[in-house]
Amino acid sequence: MYIMIICGAPGSGKGTQSDMIAEKYNLLHLSTGDMLRQEVAAQTELGKTIDSYISQGNLIPDELMESLLAHRIDTTSAEIKGIILDGFPRTVAQAQALETILADRQLTVNALVDLDVRHDELIIRLLNRGKVSGRSDDNITTITQRLHVYAEKTLPVNKYYIEKGMYHKVDGMGTKQEIFDRICRIIDQTL
Ligand code: AMP
């Protein structure tokens, strides 16, 4: 099974590109943000706890996120050809946990694609999305906190994968198709 991580700052286009990749290569798009928002929408006790983190622009605690992800992988059909992990891992601890979660299931990460987008462009994209997304975290206060959390907690994840030789930086500026073509070249090399 092919496993690819797509990462990048909030607003870098991970979700959009993951959908395009999933369709072309017949992979499962597994977005932890979407998983969490579904739990919030279900208005469970867990969902209320999750909502308090998301709407403040903070990360859900590692252990909770890791157990939700492991459960999601275990409930995935054995038929799928591969997974695009969108939004996970977001901390070095999650990256280490992912290695164990996958190894326990005889799986491994094949490649990580990091979408590189200028800071001012990220804010423009997120504010534009906020006009239609209805997301509690697409407002300037929460966007600022999300970008801060990204720089502090998520950027160090790149080093972890650089050292493993799995890291691929992709220019995330340009049209959707241009960015998609760049990603496809990496997938075709690592598939
Ligand atoms: P996203 O849809 O990827 O932008 O994620 C939206 C929000 O969900 C983030 O700002 C976090 O609050 C939470 N979230 C998503 N993925 C993770 C993760 N791997 N670890 C912790 N929190 C996460």
Side-chain angles (χ1 to χ4, degrees):
M1 178 148 68
Y2 179 78
I3 300 189
M4 181 190 132
I5 297 169
I6 187 157
C7 69
S12 59
K14 301 185 293 289
T16 306
Q17 292 295 331
S18 295
D19 282 339
M20 294 164 77
I21 301 162
E23 195 182 336
K24 173 166 177 181
Y25 293 94
N26 197 14
L27 305 173
L28 173 75
H29 173 194
L30 210 163
S31 152
T32 47
D34 285 348
M35 266 171 58
L36 296 170
R37 282 185 287 275
Q38 278 164 19
E39 196 65 45
V40 173
Q43 297 185 323
T44 57
E45 277 311 307
L46 177 62
K48 285 178 196 157
T49 307
I50 290 171
D51 191 30
S52 63
Y53 290 99
I54 293 183
S55 55
Q56 299 292 313
N58 293 321
L59 297 180
I60 272 67
D62 285 334
E63 281 180 20
L64 173 58
M65 196 64 247
E66 289 154 19
S67 68
L68 288 171
L69 182 85
H71 176 71
R72 182 68 183 84
I73 290 177
D74 287 338
T75 50
T76 293
S77 152
E79 310 285 291
I80 58 162
K81 283 174 57 185
I83 301 175
I84 310 161
L85 274 177
D86 160 12
F88 189 99
R90 258 181 159 95
T91 63
V92 172
Q94 289 183 13
Q96 288 161 341
L98 179 63
E99 206 168 316
T100 310
I101 291 168
L102 294 179
D104 287 349
R105 292 155 181 84
Q106 281 83 48
L107 298 170
T108 184
V109 173
N110 296 85
L112 176 143
V113 166
D114 179 24
L115 292 175
D116 186 30
V117 175
R118 276 203 328 262
H119 193 266
D120 57 336
E121 170 76 9
L122 293 171
I123 295 178
I124 292 168
R125 287 188 193 176
L126 288 168
L127 287 175
N128 276 334
R129 187 175 73 187
K131 291 177 192 158
V132 289
S133 69
R135 278 176 56 161
S136 62
D137 55 352
D138 282 343
N139 59 77
I140 192 63
T141 310
T142 314
I143 289 169
T144 306
Q145 173 64 3
R146 288 160 71 199
L147 291 171
H148 171 74
V149 168
Y150 170 75
E152 191 185 343
K153 305 239 170 89
T154 309
L155 262 184
V157 173
N158 290 344
K159 187 163 171 274
Y160 182 88
Y161 288 97
I162 290 169
E163 284 165 3
K164 292 188 179 290
M166 293 171 186
Y167 176 86
H168 303 266
K169 188 182 222 138
V170 166
D171 180 3
M173 301 289 290
T175 66
K176 280 179 198 171
Q177 190 61 45
E178 284 165 350
I179 301 163
F180 182 55
D181 291 342
R182 293 175 199 138
I183 298 174
C184 289
R185 280 199 283 277
I186 291 162
I187 298 179
D188 293 336
Q189 286 163 21
T190 53
L191 201 61

